[in-house]
PDB file of all heavy atoms in Angstrom:
ATOM      1  N   ASP A 190       2.012   2.254  17.370  1.00 93.00           N
ATOM      2  CA  ASP A 190       1.988   3.716  17.286  1.00 93.00           C
ATOM      3  C   ASP A 190       0.827   4.211  16.427  1.00 93.00           C
ATOM      4  O   ASP A 190       0.393   3.531  15.488  1.00 93.00           O
ATOM      5  CB  ASP A 190       3.308   4.229  16.696  1.00 93.00           C
ATOM      6  CG  ASP A 190       4.499   3.936  17.594  1.00 93.00           C
ATOM      7  OD1 ASP A 190       4.295   3.810  18.817  1.00 93.00           O
ATOM      8  OD2 ASP A 190       5.621   3.818  17.071  1.00 93.00           O
ATOM      9  N   ASP A 191       0.355   5.396  16.734  1.00 93.00           N
ATOM     10  CA  ASP A 191      -0.723   6.019  15.969  1.00 93.00           C
ATOM     11  C   ASP A 191      -0.118   6.788  14.799  1.00 93.00           C
ATOM     12  O   ASP A 191       0.454   7.873  14.982  1.00 93.00           O
ATOM     13  CB  ASP A 191      -1.525   6.958  16.872  1.00 93.00           C
ATOM     14  CG  ASP A 191      -2.722   7.589  16.156  1.00 93.00           C
ATOM     15  OD1 ASP A 191      -2.963   7.236  14.972  1.00 93.00           O
ATOM     16  OD2 ASP A 191      -3.397   8.433  16.757  1.00 93.00           O
ATOM     17  N   VAL A 192      -0.226   6.249  13.595  1.00 94.00           N
ATOM     18  CA  VAL A 192       0.421   6.876  12.442  1.00 94.00           C
ATOM     19  C   VAL A 192      -0.315   8.121  11.959  1.00 94.00           C
ATOM     20  O   VAL A 192       0.218   8.882  11.141  1.00 94.00           O
ATOM     21  CB  VAL A 192       0.566   5.871  11.274  1.00 94.00           C
ATOM     22  CG1 VAL A 192       1.504   4.748  11.666  1.00 94.00           C
ATOM     23  CG2 VAL A 192      -0.775   5.325  10.833  1.00 94.00           C
ATOM     24  N   VAL A 195       1.588  11.428  12.162  1.00 93.00           N
ATOM     25  CA  VAL A 195       2.605  11.836  11.179  1.00 93.00           C
ATOM     26  C   VAL A 195       2.053  11.786   9.755  1.00 93.00           C
ATOM     27  O   VAL A 195       2.812  11.733   8.796  1.00 93.00           O
ATOM     28  CB  VAL A 195       3.871  10.944  11.296  1.00 93.00           C
ATOM     29  CG1 VAL A 195       4.499  11.088  12.667  1.00 93.00           C
ATOM     30  CG2 VAL A 195       3.545   9.486  11.009  1.00 93.00           C
ATOM     31  N   TRP A 356      10.225  10.333   8.733  1.00 96.00           N
ATOM     32  CA  TRP A 356       9.894   9.171   9.542  1.00 96.00           C
ATOM     33  C   TRP A 356      10.012   7.879   8.737  1.00 96.00           C
ATOM     34  O   TRP A 356       9.807   7.873   7.529  1.00 96.00           O
ATOM     35  CB  TRP A 356       8.463   9.264  10.085  1.00 96.00           C
ATOM     36  CG  TRP A 356       8.131  10.572  10.713  1.00 96.00           C
ATOM     37  CD1 TRP A 356       7.457  11.620  10.141  1.00 96.00           C
ATOM     38  CD2 TRP A 356       8.495  11.015  12.027  1.00 96.00           C
ATOM     39  NE1 TRP A 356       7.356  12.673  11.009  1.00 96.00           N
ATOM     40  CE2 TRP A 356       7.985  12.334  12.185  1.00 96.00           C
ATOM     41  CE3 TRP A 356       9.180  10.418  13.087  1.00 96.00           C
ATOM     42  CZ2 TRP A 356       8.153  13.050  13.360  1.00 96.00           C
ATOM     43  CZ3 TRP A 356       9.357  11.147  14.264  1.00 96.00           C
ATOM     44  CH2 TRP A 356       8.838  12.439  14.393  1.00 96.00           C
ATOM     45  N   VAL A 357      10.300   6.808   9.445  1.00 97.00           N
ATOM     46  CA  VAL A 357      10.183   5.457   8.897  1.00 97.00           C
ATOM     47  C   VAL A 357       9.103   4.748   9.700  1.00 97.00           C
ATOM     48  O   VAL A 357       9.171   4.695  10.934  1.00 97.00           O
ATOM     49  CB  VAL A 357      11.506   4.678   8.992  1.00 97.00           C
ATOM     50  CG1 VAL A 357      11.299   3.239   8.525  1.00 97.00           C
ATOM     51  CG2 VAL A 357      12.584   5.354   8.151  1.00 97.00           C
ATOM     52  N   ILE A 358       8.085   4.245   9.003  1.00 97.00           N
ATOM     53  CA  ILE A 358       6.983   3.550   9.664  1.00 97.00           C
ATOM     54  C   ILE A 358       7.123   2.058   9.384  1.00 97.00           C
ATOM     55  O   ILE A 358       6.882   1.600   8.270  1.00 97.00           O
ATOM     56  CB  ILE A 358       5.622   4.079   9.173  1.00 97.00           C
ATOM     57  CG1 ILE A 358       5.517   5.593   9.392  1.00 97.00           C
ATOM     58  CG2 ILE A 358       4.483   3.350   9.892  1.00 97.00           C
ATOM     59  CD1 ILE A 358       4.266   6.209   8.813  1.00 97.00           C
ATOM     60  N   TYR A 389       2.106  -0.961  13.846  1.00 96.00           N
ATOM     61  CA  TYR A 389       2.953   0.152  13.389  1.00 96.00           C
ATOM     62  C   TYR A 389       3.985   0.512  14.464  1.00 96.00           C
ATOM     63  O   TYR A 389       3.683   0.529  15.660  1.00 96.00           O
ATOM     64  CB  TYR A 389       2.120   1.414  13.127  1.00 96.00           C
ATOM     65  CG  TYR A 389       0.959   1.244  12.180  1.00 96.00           C
ATOM     66  CD1 TYR A 389      -0.351   1.206  12.655  1.00 96.00           C
ATOM     67  CD2 TYR A 389       1.150   1.153  10.802  1.00 96.00           C
ATOM     68  CE1 TYR A 389      -1.426   1.072  11.794  1.00 96.00           C
ATOM     69  CE2 TYR A 389       0.080   1.027   9.929  1.00 96.00           C
ATOM     70  CZ  TYR A 389      -1.207   0.984  10.436  1.00 96.00           C
ATOM     71  OH  TYR A 389      -2.276   0.852   9.584  1.00 96.00           O
ATOM     72  N   ARG A 390       5.180   0.823  13.996  1.00 95.00           N
ATOM     73  CA  ARG A 390       6.188   1.396  14.876  1.00 95.00           C
ATOM     74  C   ARG A 390       6.897   2.514  14.108  1.00 95.00           C
ATOM     75  O   ARG A 390       7.397   2.297  13.000  1.00 95.00           O
ATOM     76  CB  ARG A 390       7.198   0.343  15.329  1.00 95.00           C
ATOM     77  CG  ARG A 390       8.147   0.882  16.410  1.00 95.00           C
ATOM     78  CD  ARG A 390       9.101  -0.171  16.918  1.00 95.00           C
ATOM     79  NE  ARG A 390      10.025   0.386  17.897  1.00 95.00           N
ATOM     80  CZ  ARG A 390      11.157  -0.183  18.287  1.00 95.00           C
ATOM     81  NH1 ARG A 390      11.487  -1.358  17.779  1.00 95.00           N
ATOM     82  NH2 ARG A 390      11.947   0.396  19.170  1.00 95.00           N
ATOM     83  N   ILE A 391       6.935   3.701  14.698  1.00 96.00           N
ATOM     84  CA  ILE A 391       7.458   4.880  14.017  1.00 96.00           C
ATOM     85  C   ILE A 391       8.869   5.192  14.515  1.00 96.00           C
ATOM     86  O   ILE A 391       9.120   5.250  15.722  1.00 96.00           O
ATOM     87  CB  ILE A 391       6.545   6.101  14.255  1.00 96.00           C
ATOM     88  CG1 ILE A 391       5.127   5.814  13.756  1.00 96.00           C
ATOM     89  CG2 ILE A 391       7.108   7.334  13.560  1.00 96.00           C
ATOM     90  CD1 ILE A 391       4.127   6.913  14.097  1.00 96.00           C
ATOM     91  N   PHE A 392       9.790   5.409  13.555  1.00 96.00           N
ATOM     92  CA  PHE A 392      11.170   5.783  13.866  1.00 96.00           C
ATOM     93  C   PHE A 392      11.489   7.131  13.218  1.00 96.00           C
ATOM     94  O   PHE A 392      11.219   7.315  12.015  1.00 96.00           O
ATOM     95  CB  PHE A 392      12.159   4.749  13.328  1.00 96.00           C
ATOM     96  CG  PHE A 392      12.044   3.389  13.941  1.00 96.00           C
ATOM     97  CD1 PHE A 392      11.152   2.451  13.430  1.00 96.00           C
ATOM     98  CD2 PHE A 392      12.826   3.031  15.029  1.00 96.00           C
ATOM     99  CE1 PHE A 392      11.050   1.184  13.989  1.00 96.00           C
ATOM    100  CE2 PHE A 392      12.731   1.763  15.593  1.00 96.00           C
ATOM    101  CZ  PHE A 392      11.838   0.847  15.071  1.00 96.00           C
ATOM    102  N   PRO A 393      12.066   8.077  13.953  1.00 95.00           N
ATOM    103  CA  PRO A 393      12.566   9.298  13.303  1.00 95.00           C
ATOM    104  C   PRO A 393      13.708   8.941  12.365  1.00 95.00           C
ATOM    105  O   PRO A 393      14.550   8.100  12.688  1.00 95.00           O
ATOM    106  CB  PRO A 393      13.063  10.154  14.477  1.00 95.00           C
ATOM    107  CG  PRO A 393      12.429   9.562  15.697  1.00 95.00           C
ATOM    108  CD  PRO A 393      12.255   8.103  15.409  1.00 95.00           C
TER     109      PRO A 393
END
Side-chain angles (χ1 to χ4, degrees):
D190 295 334
D191 183 4
V192 295
V195 298
W356 312 99
V357 175
I358 303 174
Y389 306 106
R390 188 177 177 197
I391 301 173
F392 296 87

